[in-house]
Amino acid sequence: DQQVKQNSPSLSVQEGRISILNCDYTNSMFDYFLWYKKYPAEGPTFLISISSIKDKNEDGRFTVFLNKSAKHLSLHIVPSQPGDSAVYFCAASGGGSNYKLTFGKGTLLTVNP
Amino acid sequence: ETGVTQSPTHLIKTRGQQVTLRCSSQSGHNTVSWYQQALGQGPQFIFQYYREEENGRGNFPPRFSGLQFPNYSSELNVNALELDDSALYLCASSITRSTGELFFGEGSRLTVL
């Protein structure tokens, strides 16, 4: 049973345009959400997070939106750059198991010059 | 500041053998977590150690075991290796038991033949 789902295995966008990566979750006890970026042959690196008490968090070109009623979050990257090409993982924690992250399968983002 | 380092980066074992993977946490971090990432999947939580004791465990059998040492370095041991244990094993350190930002190493790629 996959509690965090990223239904798009891949996404391709043009440099300078917006990239939108989506994530759905089923566990209503999750109260903290994170996005990680992973380049080949490297470990995941933290990108941005959001608490369930917020519906938006912004950090430079990266914005995460949370819709609790829909159990949906999205990561917006504006403007997209070729260096953003990587696998993006959505992760969640909470509900008494806040020592662990539950990850989605990831979305491969390709930003074309 | 030294980041999370893991060794070895790649290794090949045969079914039934035992393997030990090692991790050095980021300076100042007293919590270490281990994740398994199978091909095409997101990282899956194995267990977490805090102050040398297991603080939480995912859905992995007892042949997956760990240690954390006083200097906060850590080991992941897997006994009686199975073909399905082939994966990237990621170590992550953090300054708190509750999941916030995890700092991942580049991983150890294990192939079981």
Side-chain angles (χ1 to χ4, degrees):
Chain A
D1 177 33
Q2 207 177 351
Q3 298 187 64
V4 177
K5 299 177 183 179
Q6 294 177 256
N7 292 319
S8 296
S10 63
L11 174 68
S12 182
V13 299
Q14 286 300 118
E15 182 179 3
R17 307 293 290 269
I18 184 171
S19 295
I20 300 176
L21 296 100
N22 294 304
C23 177
D24 298 294
Y25 62 96
T26 58
N27 188 341
S28 58
M29 299 298 288
F30 286 146
D31 58 10
Y32 192 64
F33 304 89
L34 308 91
W35 285 93
Y36 281 81
K37 178 171 71 173
K38 187 179 186 301
Y39 294 116
E42 294 184 12
T45 55
F46 170 76
L47 195 56
I48 193 170
S49 63
I50 187 167
S51 164
S52 61
I53 63 173
K54 296 185 175 182
D55 55 16
K56 177 183 174 180
N57 188 27
E58 191 171 354
D59 183 2
R61 298 186 295 115
F62 303 91
T63 304
V64 57
F65 296 91
L66 176 61
N67 182 334
K68 283 176 295 194
S69 60
K71 295 190 178 69
H72 177 83
L73 63 156
S74 60
L75 173 68
H76 292 211
I77 306 174
V78 182
S80 300
Q81 299 173 353
D84 296 329
S85 297
V87 176
Y88 288 78
F89 291 101
C90 171
S93 71
S97 299
N98 57 357
Y99 50 82
K100 72 172 185 179
L101 292 180
T102 301
F103 284 84
K105 289 186 177 183
T107 297
L108 173 62
L109 172 66
T110 303
V111 180
N112 302 301
Chain B
E1 185 178 80
T2 306
V4 178
T5 58
Q6 293 186 242
S7 63
T9 54
H10 295 82
L11 71 166
I12 299 173
K13 293 284 188 177
T14 56
R15 195 168 48 182
Q17 284 188 312
Q18 179 267 343
V19 68
T20 297
L21 307 178
R22 294 178 175 82
C23 172
S24 292
S25 299
Q26 183 156 325
S27 177
H29 290 186
N30 59 16
T31 303
V32 65
S33 303
W34 286 90
Y35 286 79
Q36 180 197 65
Q37 186 180 8
L39 200 60
Q41 304 294 316
Q44 191 170 0
F45 177 75
I46 303 175
F47 43 56
Q48 183 189 79
Y49 278 81
Y50 171 72
R51 292 187 176 178
E52 303 175 55
E53 291 192 1
E54 188 177 289
N55 185 53
R57 189 177 184 93
N59 189 26
F60 281 82
R63 57 190 186 84
F64 284 78
S65 63
L67 284 172
Q68 186 185 30
F69 301 100
N71 65 355
Y72 303 134
S73 64
S74 175
E75 285 182 357
L76 165 64
N77 298 288
V78 187
N79 294 322
L81 284 168
E82 300 177 359
L83 297 180
D84 285 348
D85 295 334
S86 295
L88 180 68
Y89 289 85
L90 295 162
C91 171
S93 70
S94 57
I95 60 173
T96 172
R97 285 178 289 179
S98 298
T99 46
E101 181 180 345
L102 296 182
F103 293 81
F104 284 89
E106 66 180 22
S108 293
R109 171 76 61 188
L110 171 64
T111 302
V112 182
L113 303 177

